Amino acid sequence: MKLDLPRLQQQAARLAALPLSELCAEPQREREFAVSAIGIRLGLARQKLDAEALQVLLASAEVADLVGGFERLMNGDEVNPTEQRPALHTALRSDLGESPIARAARAEVLATRQRMEQLCVELESSTVTDIVSVGIGGSDLGPRLVVDALQEFANGRFRIHFLTNVDGSATARLLPRLDPKHTAVLLVSKSFTTQETQLNGAILRDWLGDDSRLYAVTANTQRAAAIGIDETRVLPMWDWVGGRFSLWSAVGWSIRLALGRTGFDDLLAGAAAMDAHALQTPLDRNLPVLHALVAVWNRDILGLSTQAVLPYDERLALLPAFLQQLVMESLGKRVELSGNAVAVDTVPVVWGGTGTNSQHSFFQALHQGTQVVAADFIGVVKPAHAYAGNHRALLSNLLAQCEALACGSASSDPHRHYPGGRPSILLLLDALTPHSLGALLALYEHSVYAQSLLWDINAFDQWGVELGKRLANQLLPALSGGEPAGDAVTRSLLESLVPELR
Ligand code: F6P
């Protein structure tokens, strides 16, 4: 852990008696605590921080060598030591890596992009009307978010569907709406062993009845070939891209099919601009670095155990779900790279929902609950619709919530008292476009990585998910009447379940 805890705690103690409302009353506060780049304004004015505390945080960023960390990441150093690999997602969109490894990765990326483009052109000139992207986790959440968020930029050539869950209800609902003769299926799975994707993929393959419209994206091309998918319809990804960082690769094929080439290129360009910003901008003006420092301050110094993601834009409704995986799968670790326990808390629980809907749901707890929740509010200045009155109302709610949480409102009636002191980050996008969305998602990716450097943990493995998968595989035969398995509780449950399944 690279945080100077005693000094940071001293800062928190110094600020403890100062209400956040007083900090927010300073006339220059908003401008002093805002940084803009690539059409995104990061506002930290409503954090329980002043300039001195921020300097101490920035000193931790020096100690953790965040700049060196970004260089190592983009150059393909082994930043994922438990799997002995680099994490070169930046090579999917940027030319910044100068090492031979990064250059070789970039060449493969560009060659794959060309092949994907060729397949897209073929699909566009075919009679296919519907695309089903089958995948889960990182092979689903990013593409699904982007396709949903950027509907206004879609060229309308295809209807895009996502099939994720092993629960057959999703498949049963989707297939009656589609015609197999006019549907193409993309099996998206880095490992090509994921149970959900394998089962759903097999069902869709039978349903298609013709493999010529079955495609795969995987790092396990041998396995795709083994089940008979012609290599001309298999696009590679690589072990040096983590699933949750992979929407920029052929995993995002559905994005390219939805937006057309220009839209996909703009998305990549926005992310590339954020890569350059992260690598080249001084720490105190660096959006991902500042975002990460504030996240760690809230988690470890103020002890906030959950993080709400609150987009005030319906188009970003899937952002909380995407960030749940990105943040919690990356930072949900309890040991440092060395294997020793981390001395502080790491990842908060990430959750959220869109405004203003959430105001009428869980905001009561944000304002008056016993737990203070760290919040990221995300707003978009220019709407993509003509309902100006609605948009003004949306933005007024966004600003009001940030103020109400921070400043509160005193009342002698305890039930009507708002304590305030509840910090939030405000991320304001000039407009939601492929470019700005690419930049926003890359900002979060780099913030996550910067947090991992501050905690000295591995952001790129996910061993925690393996045990449950293994046990489920061991139990599967018992569900069809095979040998009982599991511990006493599971066995007892199986005894009552199995007769019901017959
Ligand atoms: O179970 C977690 C996980 O491995 C994620 O990290 C990954 O994004 C997801 O499963 C899907 O994996 P795959 O792309 O290999 O099917």
Side-chain angles (χ1 to χ4, degrees), residues 135-140 188-197 217-218 237 242-244 246 251 325 329 462 465-466 469:
I136 198 163
S139 294
D140 167 67
V188 184
S189 178
K190 178 178 170 181
S191 60
F192 226 70
T193 58
T194 301
Q195 186 188 47
E196 293 88 339
T197 307
V217 178
T218 182
M237 65 176 296
R244 53 195 176 272
S246 67
V251 167
Q325 188 201 16
E329 198 164 70
Q462 56 282 319
V465 300
E466 294 303 325
K469 287 186 197 172

